[in-house]
Amino acid sequence: MTGLPVPVSQVHVRVNLNIGACGPYAHIVADFEPPGPGGGFELLSVVPEARLHAEFLPALRDGLLEGLDGVAAAVLITDGSHHEVDSSEYGYKIAGQEAGRAALIGAGLLPPAEADTLRWAKWPGRLRPWPGYRAAGRSRPAR
């Protein structure tokens, strides 16, 4: 199993798939580190239960494992939030997948162009801005 070669900090993912005024919502901030001595995947959250319910951590873990695609890493969830109505396991699985892929791009294990496939993630060093007006080369509309 390959390990993450370098740390990738401050990966922000906010899934807000608003479908008719509701939809999966998830928000996490994660730091990725090379794996520890065991060489496997580790997940630790320091976010209080009131901000990120523990019931979403298994789905987040599954998404991270999928996103990392077999690359071992130690993942620390440093921030996050939930929505009482719209948060779901599905939203946190998407957040985990995007965070894992972002870490691979940030660590140089995937080409930078792969960032274009990530809808919800941002991290230091991302070549294009957070999805929005400027992501497609458009300027902000006049107010």
Side-chain angles (χ1 to χ4, degrees), residues 1 13 18-19 22 26 32 44 47 49 55 61 75 85 88 96 102 106 132 143:
M1 178 182 283
V13 181
N18 192 339
I19 305 168
C22 63
F32 292 78
L44 178 65
V47 183
E49 170 86 15
E55 71 186 85
R61 178 186 179 82
V75 183
V85 175
S88 66
R143 290 188 177 183

Side-chain angles (χ1 to χ4, degrees), residues 118-138:
L118 301 179
R119 180 175 180 184
W120 311 106
K122 69 176 183 175
W123 60 94
R126 184 168 185 181
L127 295 179
R128 72 179 185 93
W130 184 273
Y133 291 111
R134 293 187 178 95
R138 299 183 298 262

Side-chain angles (χ1 to χ4, degrees), residues 39-128:
F41 175 81
E42 297 177 72
L43 175 62
L44 178 65
S45 175
V46 296
V47 183
E49 170 86 15
R51 290 192 45 81
L52 179 59
H53 290 191
E55 71 186 85
F56 298 124
L57 292 178
L60 177 61
R61 178 186 179 82
D62 290 346
L64 285 163
L65 288 168
E66 285 182 30
L68 287 168
D69 196 26
V71 174
V75 183
L76 176 64
I77 306 301
T78 60
D79 197 8
S81 63
H82 72 280
H83 185 275
E84 287 297 326
V85 175
D86 294 335
S87 286
S88 66
E89 291 178 355
Y90 178 62
Y92 282 94
K93 186 169 183 177
I94 293 171
Q97 290 168 339
E98 290 231 346
R101 300 287 292 172
L104 295 180
I105 295 165
L109 296 176
L110 289 176
E114 288 288 319
D116 291 341
T117 67
L118 301 179
R119 180 175 180 184
W120 311 106
K122 69 176 183 175
W123 60 94
R126 184 168 185 181
L127 295 179
R128 72 179 185 93

